[in-house]
Amino acid sequence: MNANNFPYSYTSAVSTIMINMLSVAIFSGLFFASNQLSAGVPFQKCWTQWYDRDDPSGSGDWETLSHLHKENPGKICPKPVAIQAQTLTGLSVAAAGDVIYRSDTTAGFVCRNQDQRNKKCNDYRVRFSCPPSYCNEDVCWTKWYDRDNPSGTGDWEILSYLNKENPGMICPKPVAIQAQTLTGLSVAAAGDVIYRSDTTAGFVCRNQDQHNKKCNDYRVRFSCPPSYCDEDVCWTKWYDRDDPSGTGDWEILSHLHKENPGKICPKPAAIQAQTLTGLSVAAVGDVIYRKDTTAGFICRNKDQHNKKCSDYRVRFSCPPSYCDENVCWTKWYDRDDPSGSGDWEILSYLHKENPGKICPKPAAIQAQTLTGLSVAAAGDVIYRSDTTAGFVCRNQDQHNKKCNDYRVRFSCPPSYCDKDVCWTQWFDRDDPSGSGDWEILSHLHKEHPGKICPKPAAIQAQTLTGLSVAAAGDVIYRSDTTTGFVCRNQDQRNKKCNDYRVRFSCPPSYCNEDVCWTPWYDRDDPSESGDWETLSDLHKENPGKICEHPQYIEAVTTDTNTPANSTGDIIFISSPTKGFICRNEDQDCGCLDYKVRFGCRC
């Protein structure tokens, strides 16, 4: 690109002044952004993909924003908040050592060959800080890795070594790298001089470069496709609560929370949007007014060329309890009331008082008043609510000096919360004398017809001597309710797996041979006071069809067969002797429609 085509012309003196002014501006901008973050002001921005439209074969490397906008319509926001540049090999501008003519969010990035000692710039790529809708939805962050410490010459978190030591866990070509101390400080906050931090080499902090001759201890993570990212975060189902027939498509998170209680986590990690036909936002080309994990998703008709948005649906990145069918909720627990210093629903006490009823490490916690109000609706200031301590509401923190009375429940594996799910007998169809121990579910179904449900809720494996997988220490190739369990000899250090047996979490009819199930019954719908599937009414309406004293009851939704304890509805009664009752008054938006069946002695 010719310099004459660039929209600005400067003398050397003016260029020097400009660069100095830019330095001040950049520092001021960083200071402002830092103050924003520290003050708690929302800063909903992320980084676009990298762009490389030019190389230094002509007069230099001209990554001008106006040209990038034209060549990549809809991919870069009109007014980026910040710009980053690095060489194609991943070196920062400072590490490359080039004199940069321009790098800002108005013009873009310019490196002129004439300004360099060797008369040749490096080849650069750039990216921009924009609202989330302009960012790469197919990129997320891996878990943190810490392979070295500064006890030697420094902290060398080398990517090639990390790839070797963690095969398949980091993508071959990460998009970005992040580093922080083991105490959570950013590199800038730690103040160390960093020798290298890029997606080619990894991260290097050398002791010799520091004033005190000692680096902090760092960990790193990498931006990769979702398959490489943290397994503790998954995606909810898709939600579509609005259409663009009015002023636009408003998929507001607060409304989605109210309309789908317990289905979306309070603070999602990310949001995705697509049209009902499956097109991404970028592919459609609509101008998006808002897309973040605070407000949700908004497309306004007035912002579009044709004055009409497409119809969108959204989903959210949450802990597994909000998207994993193999996790459900325990019953509600209420061990304290606010008559003393507050309501202290402490998890350690609940464990002691209810042995075996709550899993050791719950995935999530929910709290509500005894009258069914959510914490937000009750309006109390909550001192603690997490899966480590439990739930604490202190009277001293409230305006009226008195908490409401709360109950809590926890997200655990099905064996801790679903009375309608139990464990089958143990099965052992293979041993590791060949290539490993292959307890394949399809084979077990064939060899034990009717003994294992078609879609188990969970799988457990242990050695024939009773050791858990963790205690045995083997590397497990597969353990899920689709394939079954596989331990391969080739993956073990000693090239030999232990001998395992497996069992599956299924409805009681697969674990108790003396139980037979009735047909499904749906005698009521929630159009009035709720859904009342009472046993007495069902006996009257279906004489002789249901035993007098059922042992079990199962309740699921009529449309998707979702178990009642996984819907988020507050269930008033679910008893094999009384039946099932869901009251509209207990819900934020009314009950779902349920059907029930009963387990009787055969």
PDB file of all heavy atoms in Angstrom, residues 54-70:
ATOM      1  N   ASP A  54      -2.103  -7.432   4.824  1.00  0.00           N
ATOM      2  CA  ASP A  54      -0.968  -6.889   4.087  1.00  0.00           C
ATOM      3  C   ASP A  54       0.314  -7.530   4.596  1.00  0.00           C
ATOM      4  O   ASP A  54       0.333  -8.173   5.650  1.00  0.00           O
ATOM      5  CB  ASP A  54      -0.909  -5.366   4.283  1.00  0.00           C
ATOM      6  CG  ASP A  54       0.023  -4.686   3.263  1.00  0.00           C
ATOM      7  OD1 ASP A  54       0.271  -5.278   2.198  1.00  0.00           O
ATOM      8  OD2 ASP A  54       0.497  -3.585   3.564  1.00  0.00           O
ATOM      9  N   ASP A  55       1.384  -7.369   3.824  1.00  0.00           N
ATOM     10  CA  ASP A  55       2.707  -7.795   4.265  1.00  0.00           C
ATOM     11  C   ASP A  55       3.695  -6.692   3.898  1.00  0.00           C
ATOM     12  O   ASP A  55       3.373  -5.787   3.118  1.00  0.00           O
ATOM     13  CB  ASP A  55       3.096  -9.139   3.642  1.00  0.00           C
ATOM     14  CG  ASP A  55       3.160  -9.075   2.131  1.00  0.00           C
ATOM     15  OD1 ASP A  55       3.998  -8.327   1.594  1.00  0.00           O
ATOM     16  OD2 ASP A  55       2.373  -9.778   1.475  1.00  0.00           O
ATOM     17  N   PRO A  56       4.932  -6.747   4.430  1.00  0.00           N
ATOM     18  CA  PRO A  56       5.868  -5.627   4.229  1.00  0.00           C
ATOM     19  C   PRO A  56       6.648  -5.683   2.915  1.00  0.00           C
ATOM     20  O   PRO A  56       7.704  -5.063   2.803  1.00  0.00           O
ATOM     21  CB  PRO A  56       6.808  -5.757   5.439  1.00  0.00           C
ATOM     22  CG  PRO A  56       6.806  -7.204   5.746  1.00  0.00           C
ATOM     23  CD  PRO A  56       5.457  -7.729   5.398  1.00  0.00           C
ATOM     24  N   SER A  57       6.104  -6.390   1.919  1.00  0.00           N
ATOM     25  CA  SER A  57       6.841  -6.511   0.655  1.00  0.00           C
ATOM     26  C   SER A  57       6.857  -5.202  -0.134  1.00  0.00           C
ATOM     27  O   SER A  57       7.697  -4.998  -1.003  1.00  0.00           O
ATOM     28  CB  SER A  57       6.225  -7.611  -0.212  1.00  0.00           C
ATOM     29  OG  SER A  57       4.862  -7.320  -0.500  1.00  0.00           O
ATOM     30  N   GLY A  58       5.912  -4.282   0.176  1.00  0.00           N
ATOM     31  CA  GLY A  58       5.896  -2.992  -0.501  1.00  0.00           C
ATOM     32  C   GLY A  58       6.560  -1.924   0.354  1.00  0.00           C
ATOM     33  O   GLY A  58       7.737  -2.017   0.687  1.00  0.00           O
ATOM     34  N   SER A  59       5.770  -0.921   0.751  1.00  0.00           N
ATOM     35  CA  SER A  59       6.329   0.163   1.559  1.00  0.00           C
ATOM     36  C   SER A  59       6.251  -0.129   3.056  1.00  0.00           C
ATOM     37  O   SER A  59       6.735   0.637   3.876  1.00  0.00           O
ATOM     38  CB  SER A  59       5.592   1.474   1.261  1.00  0.00           C
ATOM     39  OG  SER A  59       4.211   1.327   1.583  1.00  0.00           O
ATOM     40  N   GLY A  60       5.616  -1.248   3.413  1.00  0.00           N
ATOM     41  CA  GLY A  60       5.481  -1.612   4.816  1.00  0.00           C
ATOM     42  C   GLY A  60       4.257  -2.494   5.013  1.00  0.00           C
ATOM     43  O   GLY A  60       3.698  -3.029   4.049  1.00  0.00           O
ATOM     44  N   ASP A  61       3.846  -2.653   6.256  1.00  0.00           N
ATOM     45  CA  ASP A  61       2.668  -3.471   6.578  1.00  0.00           C
ATOM     46  C   ASP A  61       1.549  -2.528   7.006  1.00  0.00           C
ATOM     47  O   ASP A  61       1.605  -1.922   8.078  1.00  0.00           O
ATOM     48  CB  ASP A  61       3.015  -4.466   7.691  1.00  0.00           C
ATOM     49  CG  ASP A  61       1.960  -5.559   7.829  1.00  0.00           C
ATOM     50  OD1 ASP A  61       0.880  -5.398   7.237  1.00  0.00           O
ATOM     51  OD2 ASP A  61       2.230  -6.561   8.503  1.00  0.00           O
ATOM     52  N   TRP A  62       0.522  -2.414   6.161  1.00  0.00           N
ATOM     53  CA  TRP A  62      -0.566  -1.464   6.362  1.00  0.00           C
ATOM     54  C   TRP A  62      -1.870  -2.219   6.681  1.00  0.00           C
ATOM     55  O   TRP A  62      -2.616  -2.619   5.796  1.00  0.00           O
ATOM     56  CB  TRP A  62      -0.760  -0.606   5.106  1.00  0.00           C
ATOM     57  CG  TRP A  62       0.461   0.206   4.758  1.00  0.00           C
ATOM     58  CD1 TRP A  62       1.634  -0.249   4.237  1.00  0.00           C
ATOM     59  CD2 TRP A  62       0.628   1.612   4.942  1.00  0.00           C
ATOM     60  NE1 TRP A  62       2.535   0.773   4.079  1.00  0.00           N
ATOM     61  CE2 TRP A  62       1.943   1.946   4.502  1.00  0.00           C
ATOM     62  CE3 TRP A  62      -0.193   2.633   5.420  1.00  0.00           C
ATOM     63  CZ2 TRP A  62       2.442   3.236   4.532  1.00  0.00           C
ATOM     64  CZ3 TRP A  62       0.299   3.927   5.452  1.00  0.00           C
ATOM     65  CH2 TRP A  62       1.616   4.223   5.018  1.00  0.00           C
ATOM     66  N   GLU A  63      -2.096  -2.416   7.974  1.00  0.00           N
ATOM     67  CA  GLU A  63      -3.334  -3.080   8.423  1.00  0.00           C
ATOM     68  C   GLU A  63      -4.328  -1.977   8.813  1.00  0.00           C
ATOM     69  O   GLU A  63      -4.633  -1.747   9.977  1.00  0.00           O
ATOM     70  CB  GLU A  63      -3.038  -4.000   9.612  1.00  0.00           C
ATOM     71  CG  GLU A  63      -1.947  -5.025   9.388  1.00  0.00           C
ATOM     72  CD  GLU A  63      -2.323  -6.092   8.377  1.00  0.00           C
ATOM     73  OE1 GLU A  63      -3.541  -6.297   8.152  1.00  0.00           O
ATOM     74  OE2 GLU A  63      -1.410  -6.711   7.803  1.00  0.00           O
ATOM     75  N   THR A  64      -4.811  -1.264   7.807  1.00  0.00           N
ATOM     76  CA  THR A  64      -5.677  -0.106   8.056  1.00  0.00           C
ATOM     77  C   THR A  64      -7.110  -0.545   8.336  1.00  0.00           C
ATOM     78  O   THR A  64      -7.662  -1.425   7.663  1.00  0.00           O
ATOM     79  CB  THR A  64      -5.654   0.846   6.861  1.00  0.00           C
ATOM     80  OG1 THR A  64      -5.966   0.125   5.674  1.00  0.00           O
ATOM     81  CG2 THR A  64      -4.268   1.460   6.716  1.00  0.00           C
ATOM     82  N   LEU A  65      -7.709   0.093   9.318  1.00  0.00           N
ATOM     83  CA  LEU A  65      -9.031  -0.323   9.779  1.00  0.00           C
ATOM     84  C   LEU A  65     -10.104  -0.151   8.718  1.00  0.00           C
ATOM     85  O   LEU A  65     -10.991  -1.002   8.568  1.00  0.00           O
ATOM     86  CB  LEU A  65      -9.400   0.457  11.045  1.00  0.00           C
ATOM     87  CG  LEU A  65     -10.728   0.095  11.710  1.00  0.00           C
ATOM     88  CD1 LEU A  65     -10.784  -1.383  12.054  1.00  0.00           C
ATOM     89  CD2 LEU A  65     -10.949   0.941  12.960  1.00  0.00           C
ATOM     90  N   SER A  66     -10.037   0.934   7.949  1.00  0.00           N
ATOM     91  CA  SER A  66     -11.067   1.171   6.928  1.00  0.00           C
ATOM     92  C   SER A  66     -11.073   0.051   5.889  1.00  0.00           C
ATOM     93  O   SER A  66     -12.128  -0.406   5.452  1.00  0.00           O
ATOM     94  CB  SER A  66     -10.845   2.529   6.252  1.00  0.00           C
ATOM     95  OG  SER A  66      -9.554   2.587   5.650  1.00  0.00           O
ATOM     96  N   HIS A  67      -9.867  -0.384   5.498  1.00  0.00           N
ATOM     97  CA  HIS A  67      -9.788  -1.485   4.534  1.00  0.00           C
ATOM     98  C   HIS A  67     -10.243  -2.808   5.149  1.00  0.00           C
ATOM     99  O   HIS A  67     -10.909  -3.618   4.487  1.00  0.00           O
ATOM    100  CB  HIS A  67      -8.357  -1.624   4.007  1.00  0.00           C
ATOM    101  CG  HIS A  67      -7.947  -0.502   3.095  1.00  0.00           C
ATOM    102  ND1 HIS A  67      -7.330   0.630   3.545  1.00  0.00           N
ATOM    103  CD2 HIS A  67      -8.086  -0.319   1.748  1.00  0.00           C
ATOM    104  CE1 HIS A  67      -7.079   1.451   2.529  1.00  0.00           C
ATOM    105  NE2 HIS A  67      -7.548   0.899   1.429  1.00  0.00           N
ATOM    106  N   LEU A  68      -9.897  -3.043   6.422  1.00  0.00           N
ATOM    107  CA  LEU A  68     -10.332  -4.276   7.092  1.00  0.00           C
ATOM    108  C   LEU A  68     -11.845  -4.319   7.223  1.00  0.00           C
ATOM    109  O   LEU A  68     -12.465  -5.377   7.092  1.00  0.00           O
ATOM    110  CB  LEU A  68      -9.658  -4.372   8.470  1.00  0.00           C
ATOM    111  CG  LEU A  68      -8.164  -4.718   8.444  1.00  0.00           C
ATOM    112  CD1 LEU A  68      -7.533  -4.477   9.815  1.00  0.00           C
ATOM    113  CD2 LEU A  68      -7.960  -6.166   8.013  1.00  0.00           C
ATOM    114  N   HIS A  69     -12.461  -3.151   7.475  1.00  0.00           N
ATOM    115  CA  HIS A  69     -13.925  -3.098   7.530  1.00  0.00           C
ATOM    116  C   HIS A  69     -14.540  -3.503   6.190  1.00  0.00           C
ATOM    117  O   HIS A  69     -15.512  -4.275   6.140  1.00  0.00           O
ATOM    118  CB  HIS A  69     -14.392  -1.685   7.902  1.00  0.00           C
ATOM    119  CG  HIS A  69     -14.510  -1.451   9.378  1.00  0.00           C
ATOM    120  ND1 HIS A  69     -14.122  -0.279   9.981  1.00  0.00           N
ATOM    121  CD2 HIS A  69     -14.965  -2.236  10.388  1.00  0.00           C
ATOM    122  CE1 HIS A  69     -14.344  -0.359  11.287  1.00  0.00           C
ATOM    123  NE2 HIS A  69     -14.850  -1.532  11.550  1.00  0.00           N
ATOM    124  N   LYS A  70     -13.966  -2.977   5.102  1.00  0.00           N
ATOM    125  CA  LYS A  70     -14.513  -3.279   3.771  1.00  0.00           C
ATOM    126  C   LYS A  70     -14.323  -4.745   3.404  1.00  0.00           C
ATOM    127  O   LYS A  70     -15.199  -5.364   2.793  1.00  0.00           O
ATOM    128  CB  LYS A  70     -13.838  -2.392   2.727  1.00  0.00           C
ATOM    129  CG  LYS A  70     -14.191  -0.914   2.843  1.00  0.00           C
ATOM    130  CD  LYS A  70     -13.434  -0.096   1.810  1.00  0.00           C
ATOM    131  CE  LYS A  70     -13.743   1.397   1.945  1.00  0.00           C
ATOM    132  NZ  LYS A  70     -12.960   2.225   1.003  1.00  0.00           N
TER     133      LYS A  70
END
